[in-house]
Amino acid sequence: MNTRNDDPSYIHINERTRDRTPTEEPAADPWPVDITGHDDLPCSCTPPAAKEPKPPCTRSIPKKDDCCESILELLGPKSRTTSRRKVYKPKTPTKVKLANWCCDWPIQDSLGPIMVLLFQRAKKGLTPQNDFEKGMYSFFETLEARHRNALQVGVDAYLDIPETRRCTLETRFDDWADDRPVEADFITKVLLHEIVALGRNSLFHEPSGAPSAGQIRLWDQAIGPMINENQRAIVKAPWPWICAVNPGADNVKWYRNRDTVFPDKSDINSIKFDLHEFSITCSASTDPANPKSISVDCKDNVPTNGFAVCDGGSDYNYTESGAGRFRCLTIPQCVAGQGIALRGFNYSSLKSTVVIKKVGGGFPDMTVACDVMGDDKPPTKDASCTVRDVVTFTLPRTIRDGQNDRPVPPGRYTIEVHVPNETNYAPSPGPAPAEFVSNTALIEVIPPLDIPYQVWVERGNCYEETDGLGDDEPWFRSYTATYRATGSQVIEAKEGDIFRHEDVESGDWIGFPPVTPFSGRLDAAGCVAIAILGLEVDSDDAAEEQITSFGEAYGLFWKQAFTLLSAGAAGGVLGKGIASLIGGAGITASLIVGGIALIVIAAIGLFFADWAPADPIAYDLIVYDAVSLNKLTTPGAALPPRDVGMIGYIGWSTYPKGVTPTSATTADYREERQYWAQDEGSKYGLDFKINQLPT
């Protein structure tokens, strides 16, 4: 069996041998972990029988409170210590939430079981066998009593989960022997496996979180030199095709050109290009008589040399139907070290690669690994850009040049997808080629941006409170993961409250001092992910205190675990693993930090589903890098398109509000993000602002 020993993505966490003496032998992992889903892990076991397709999951519908029960409770005996009785919002039964969890979160949670394991080992007073155990045991021992007691409640509830409801848990940690050390490198492998899966699921809507090859579609393409079109051969084959480019690999802004209609020969006028896809230059100026008045003038970038060909060539020409307005489509910009996603079809092999070439030469061609996610619900079997296979990769920051690292210079580059011919398909006429090559798309590599930014949450909005009598008590928290490719702390974890309010009703605006989930600089390869968790926690005082303490304690555990794993030389074992994933497996930093931020709200939601009278009303994940932040905070910036999606069973949508210039070169960007929880009948919103900080 192929063990892929020549593939960096297979060996990327086995860096621990560098720090051991020659006489020390690393312990074998308790079980094999295929972090990326690309590897053929070695084993001597009998291959499992083929599985039938997993049947669709049917969610349990919580019983709606009929209000009569609440009225009877309200009219019942009063407390000895109060003169009036408070009506608490009805909560979804824990058995219903646990049953639905298996449907809502298809990716097994490992962070929760790891917390339970480490908490129990620390409580037993086991002697730490390595620095990771020492740091985690010390963390639990020094927690405030209320936090430690709340974690104990969560641990007890976890242990009582019925076997039939443990479908989304990595239960192999439950049988961990006391004399077996909990090693940082194995914990990192397990966490990265979940992180990568969560990133695929949340950013690119890959249902299982696993890589998947796209379907094969045969179609005709002319092959040969463009000098004589009539002499080009028409060859039917599974030609891959690039339909759109997404700098940042965050699935927000996609850039297309006329190639998007080439395969199915559809009408270019049927394509509605978004504003950011056009090549526009904006300039801002102030009125000398009123310095606070800033005007912005935006103009199309069109050819002025007398030839009606745009900067990127005729594929970037566009004439608006009806108006006859000639416009140029833009070439997407990125920086070296940034993740990029490509959307298209016939990405039919997990071993696909991306080849990057500098226009005009003068720099070596680069071949990089990529991560593949086939369209799980393709709208057609034909070759068409309505199909949405996706590959992601990272544009290298440097390449090896002898003994030196040579930086990737700014400039224009072509990118193309190379798909191995794993089916040995032979076009007629001709032998079977080793691979099939896509069309080329253009990217513009710009110099790194060294600008500090702030992301604010300014206000909350309650459009629909949860079902039942009484008022809501919403509690919103943020969990921020920041990745920096350079420095000793590769992952910086931060958590904190956004707001918590009592007596909230439909139609209320929720005011609070603005909070900043992120503030600072990102290096060229860096990015930041912000996860949002909203809960309705209206319960009796004792339950509310327990919910609050557990939520805070688990956030502190998440922060401590990732701080320990990513601290030290080369970013610790986590930093080494991330570097290998990015460089050797095509997993982008955006996907990794998205998974790190999301893993904590998934685990907290699971624990609360098990025991706490708190119902989730908001889940969200937002990812930015230096380029996307800059494009949002520049005068005249094109607003991102509205977006909508689901995390778990909770829906989210974005509503860009506008860009307000604050100087000739800076602007404030604002948008609202809304969340609706179908089980609770609620709809909430948060107002965000992004701005540049003085340098």
Side-chain angles (χ1 to χ4, degrees), residues 89-161:
K89 283 284 188 177
K91 296 293 182 288
T92 302
T94 57
K95 63 180 181 180
V96 174
K97 288 193 283 190
L98 279 175
N100 287 339
W101 201 262
C102 294
C103 296
D104 300 334
W105 294 90
I107 297 156
Q108 283 191 329
D109 175 59
S110 55
L111 186 62
I114 289 170
M115 187 278 288
V116 172
L117 171 65
L118 292 170
F119 183 89
Q120 289 182 303
R121 290 170 70 91
K123 186 179 178 181
K124 291 176 183 177
L126 299 182
T127 301
Q129 301 184 54
N130 52 52
D131 289 342
F132 177 67
E133 286 189 344
K134 182 178 179 181
M136 292 310 304
Y137 294 176
S138 175
F139 164 77
F140 288 119
E141 291 165 1
T142 57
L143 277 176
E144 293 182 36
R146 67 183 183 92
H147 286 149
R148 193 163 52 250
N149 293 338
L151 287 181
Q152 182 67 67
V153 172
V155 169
D156 292 341
Y158 170 90
L159 298 175
D160 288 338
I161 297 176

Side-chain angles (χ1 to χ4, degrees), residues 602-644:
I604 288 179
L606 175 61
F607 275 100
F608 282 163
D610 181 31
W611 65 269
D615 291 334
I617 55 175
Y619 293 138
D620 198 3
L621 178 65
I622 315 164
V623 177
Y624 300 113
D625 58 29
V627 176
S628 61
L629 287 171
N630 182 260
K631 288 189 175 297
L632 290 173
T633 57
T634 300
L639 296 180
R642 283 187 55 188
D643 202 4
V644 63

Side-chain angles (χ1 to χ4, degrees), residues 21-101:
T21 62
T23 58
E24 286 185 288
E25 290 294 332
D29 288 340
W31 59 84
V33 181
D34 181 1
I35 296 175
T36 65
H38 296 177
D39 301 331
D40 299 322
L41 293 177
C43 71
S44 58
C45 53
T46 302
K51 293 183 178 180
E52 295 295 326
K54 185 178 179 181
C57 190
T58 302
R59 301 184 78 255
S60 298
I61 301 175
K63 178 184 176 183
K64 295 295 183 183
D65 185 72
D66 61 7
C67 294
C68 293
E69 295 177 6
S70 298
I71 293 173
L72 289 174
E73 183 182 352
L74 181 63
L75 297 175
K78 297 177 181 178
S79 168
R80 296 179 180 178
T81 59
T82 59
S83 59
R84 64 184 295 269
R85 181 177 283 273
K86 180 178 179 181
V87 178
Y88 298 112
K89 283 284 188 177
K91 296 293 182 288
T92 302
T94 57
K95 63 180 181 180
V96 174
K97 288 193 283 190
L98 279 175
N100 287 339
W101 201 262

Side-chain angles (χ1 to χ4, degrees), residues 528-566:
V528 59
I530 303 169
I532 304 294
L533 172 64
L535 298 167
E536 202 292 301
V537 297
D538 183 34
S539 304
D540 62 78
D541 292 344
E544 284 190 16
E545 174 59 30
Q546 205 168 73
I547 292 167
T548 301
S549 296
F550 183 88
E552 292 174 349
Y554 201 89
L556 293 171
F557 161 74
W558 166 78
K559 180 178 179 179
Q560 174 72 2
F562 279 95
T563 297
L564 285 176
L565 293 173
S566 63

Side-chain angles (χ1 to χ4, degrees), residues 234-270:
I234 304 299
V235 179
K236 183 184 293 291
W239 305 109
W241 199 256
I242 300 172
C243 301
V245 181
N246 170 222
D250 57 4
N251 201 17
V252 176
K253 286 185 176 181
W254 290 91
Y255 294 82
R256 299 166 290 178
N257 58 34
R258 299 183 71 91
D259 271 354
T260 195
V261 298
F262 178 80
D264 60 6
K265 304 300 186 288
S266 54
D267 183 4
I268 190 67
N269 292 316
S270 67

Side-chain angles (χ1 to χ4, degrees), residues 432-471:
E435 62 181 12
F436 294 100
V437 181
S438 76
N439 58 324
T440 60
L442 293 174
I443 57 172
E444 192 76 32
V445 177
I446 62 175
L449 302 168
D450 186 23
I451 301 172
Y453 301 91
Q454 278 186 324
V455 179
W456 300 80
V457 185
E458 296 185 303
R459 193 183 72 182
N461 307 299
C462 175
Y463 295 100
E464 291 287 342
E465 62 187 284
T466 58
D467 295 332
L469 291 179
D471 296 331

Side-chain angles (χ1 to χ4, degrees), residues 376-404:
D376 66 308
K377 294 180 180 179
T380 179
K381 294 181 180 180
D382 298 330
S384 167
C385 282
T386 59
V387 177
R388 296 190 172 185
D389 294 350
V390 171
V391 298
T392 64
F393 67 97
T394 298
L395 180 65
R397 288 183 295 149
T398 60
I399 64 168
R400 289 186 180 181
D401 185 8
Q403 298 185 28
N404 303 312

